[in-house]
Amino acid sequence: MTSSRDEELTYWVKQIYKGYVIVVRAPRMSSGGFSTRLTISKDSKSPVDESLIHFTTVFPTPMEALEAGLEIGRQQVDSGFQPTHMVV
């Protein structure tokens, strides 16, 4: 999926994985590549149990950024992730 705000193109995807909701965004950077930002939250619909994770890796395509974000999110859940309200 895509969204556009003030000429800034952002791709995003949402996946439910083992009771957690992983939402990955891949905004276009000024350099032309795409970054990865994801939130992981309990499937309780409560924003209180949500954590934001931002990675500095730049990907050449939005699909690569989204796929990497989903993989990172699944790995976090598999390793016993607990939402903390912290930005990493």
Side-chain angles (χ1 to χ4, degrees), residues 17-30:
Y17 182 74
K18 295 184 179 180
Y20 288 86
V21 177
I22 301 169
V23 178
V24 180
R25 290 176 178 77
R28 182 183 297 273
M29 301 177 67
S30 59

Side-chain angles (χ1 to χ4, degrees), residues 5-39:
R5 184 183 75 228
D6 300 324
E7 299 180 15
E8 179 182 309
L9 188 61
T10 299
Y11 294 84
W12 65 277
V13 66
K14 176 180 177 179
Q15 181 180 73
I16 297 175
Y17 182 74
K18 295 184 179 180
Y20 288 86
V21 177
I22 301 169
V23 178
V24 180
R25 290 176 178 77
R28 182 183 297 273
M29 301 177 67
S30 59
S31 64
F34 294 85
S35 66
T36 300
R37 296 181 184 141
L38 63 124
T39 57

Side-chain angles (χ1 to χ4, degrees), residues 38-87:
L38 63 124
T39 57
I40 302 174
S41 60
K42 284 292 226 176
D43 195 12
S44 65
K45 310 284 190 256
S46 171
V48 173
D49 293 332
E50 183 175 278
S51 292
L52 172 66
I53 301 170
H54 176 81
F55 289 87
T56 57
T57 303
V58 177
F59 297 90
T61 69
M63 292 308 294
E64 288 177 272
L66 293 173
E67 289 173 10
L70 285 174
E71 180 61 28
I72 291 163
R74 289 188 297 262
Q75 287 175 3
Q76 292 290 317
V77 170
D78 289 343
S79 67
F81 177 82
Q82 294 295 315
T84 61
H85 317 296
M86 293 180 64
V87 177

